[in-house]
Amino acid sequence: MEIQIQEYTRFERARIVGARALQISMGAPVLIQDYEKSGADPLYIALEEFRRGVVPITVKRE
């Protein structure tokens, strides 16, 4: 099985970042180290996690 880098649509990106921001705001552990400079804004943290590729959410397309 080949691992490929997945390109997300704008709707998928919005759903992933929004779901991750909600998780963070509800107390989920943050997966990046230097998030303190953001003022601990869950949306900023989720966007940064998405940009770095460490968001633990996948998209299943059928």
Side-chain angles (χ1 to χ4, degrees), residues 5-6 8 13 16-17 20 30-38 43-57:
I5 297 174
Q6 191 171 14
Y8 295 110
R13 281 193 304 268
I16 291 168
V17 172
R20 182 63 185 147
V30 177
L31 303 175
I32 56 176
Q33 297 297 323
D34 55 347
Y35 69 92
E36 293 86 9
K37 66 182 178 184
S38 70
L43 185 57
Y44 173 83
I45 295 168
L47 283 168
E48 191 61 27
E49 285 182 353
F50 185 80
R51 188 184 68 78
R52 294 184 191 186
V54 296
V55 176
I57 298 174

